[in-house]
Amino acid sequence: MLTQLAIRSMAKAVYTTKKTSHYGLAFDHYTHFTSPIRRYPDVMVHRLLAAYLNNEKSANEEEYEIAASHSSTMEKRAADAERASIKYKQAEYLEENIGNTFLGIISGVTEWGMYVEIIENKCEGMIRLRDISDDFYVLDEKNYCIVGQRKKKKYQLGDEVKVKVKKVDLAKRQIDFILVQD
């Protein structure tokens, strides 16, 4: 759960030719690339390093800035497509499980509901607050939880809950759960 929170809160990579530092490594000058090469920005950095090691002239900064910006856009688009395809396959799978009950972990909270990831299959859906009938729940943003106004029952990130698959909208890639209260 903490790993997911940390990853969600991290800034996404933005490629640029502008001088950047790395706070965590305490470097004034920093470039990120991997070996083996996994992304086009890695290819660009490897090519530049090879050129500079061969004493070639400096690259055209404007051209590289355009390529870096394009790479940032394409990487975001690829991540969005990956998320959408995963959500689609999860919805497709749970479409055949409407009415079934699963054990899950609260993976997110918002003012309108809580996201729950089923332990068994990693499918994630939402329990809408309006569908929890034992109290009126509101978001406590500071503590990553929802709290019942009358009974003060609390649901927070990482809590284990039992859910029933209520509805699946394949076109919207949405999964709705109902909280199964013991």
Side-chain angles (χ1 to χ4, degrees), residues 88-147:
Y88 182 84
K89 293 309 272 183
Q90 289 177 351
E92 184 179 56
Y93 173 75
L94 286 181
E95 193 173 39
E96 297 175 16
N97 286 279
I98 292 174
N100 290 348
T101 302
F102 297 93
L103 202 54
I105 302 284
I106 297 174
S107 58
V109 290
T110 69
E111 60 212 29
W112 56 85
M114 13 180 213
Y115 289 96
V116 175
E117 182 180 275
I118 296 173
I119 295 169
E120 177 184 325
N121 54 35
K122 302 297 186 195
C123 293
E124 187 179 59
M126 174 175 272
I127 300 170
R128 300 194 185 281
L129 295 186
R130 68 174 181 251
D131 290 339
I132 308 174
S133 58
D134 71 328
D135 204 340
F136 179 77
Y137 288 88
V138 294
L139 174 66
D140 177 351
E141 207 170 342
K142 186 176 133 194
N143 295 304
Y144 298 101
C145 64
I146 61 164
V147 181

Side-chain angles (χ1 to χ4, degrees), residues 42-111:
D42 299 335
V43 173
M44 290 191 292
V45 170
H46 281 259
R47 286 177 180 167
L48 288 170
L49 288 173
Y52 297 148
L53 286 171
N54 289 326
N55 294 318
E56 294 177 24
K57 67 177 187 157
S58 289
N60 182 318
E61 184 179 349
E62 191 175 309
E63 281 179 28
Y64 270 84
E65 186 60 35
I66 290 167
S69 177
H70 179 73
S71 292
S72 296
T73 302
M74 293 298 104
E75 192 164 302
K76 182 186 181 318
R77 193 180 285 180
D80 291 345
E82 179 182 9
R83 263 191 303 282
S85 69
I86 289 169
K87 288 300 295 175
Y88 182 84
K89 293 309 272 183
Q90 289 177 351
E92 184 179 56
Y93 173 75
L94 286 181
E95 193 173 39
E96 297 175 16
N97 286 279
I98 292 174
N100 290 348
T101 302
F102 297 93
L103 202 54
I105 302 284
I106 297 174
S107 58
V109 290
T110 69
E111 60 212 29

